Amino acid sequence: MLIDIHPDNPDTRKIARIVACLRDGGVIVYTTDTVYAMGCDINSIKGIEKLCKIKGIKPEKSNFSIICSDLSHLSTYT
């Protein structure tokens, strides 16, 4: 499913669908400044396993990046 989010006027219903997908262990694809990336909820074992299956990697032997809303959010994971 493709959900297009307008950068200047995001539709809250679309955002809610994406959040629900992530909370249910789903994987999303999103744009970055240079490429597309895949992501899941960092707290979802189901999501991490699904992401690893897509990428063909083992979760216990892999390093992952995290996205934080601001620098203060980093303290939750460090």
Side-chain angles (χ1 to χ4, degrees):
M1 164 185 349
L2 176 65
I3 299 177
D4 187 32
I5 304 293
H6 193 280
D8 297 324
N9 187 21
D11 183 340
T12 56
R13 290 174 296 165
K14 290 180 179 179
I15 299 293
R17 287 182 72 183
I18 294 167
V19 170
C21 171
L22 289 169
R23 286 187 176 151
D24 191 37
V27 173
I28 62 169
V29 176
Y30 58 95
T31 59
T32 69
D33 58 340
T34 55
V35 296
Y36 287 92
M38 291 185 287
C40 66
D41 180 351
I42 193 171
N43 298 310
S44 171
I45 294 172
K46 180 180 170 184
I48 291 171
E49 288 174 346
K50 194 177 293 185
L51 179 63
C52 289
K53 185 175 181 180
I54 292 168
K55 294 182 76 173
I57 59 176
K58 296 181 179 184
E60 64 276 1
K61 296 191 178 209
S62 302
N63 294 313
F64 298 94
S65 298
I66 61 170
I67 297 175
C68 296
S69 56
D70 58 42
L71 291 176
S72 66
H73 194 213
L74 282 174
S75 64
T76 304
Y77 302 102
T78 58

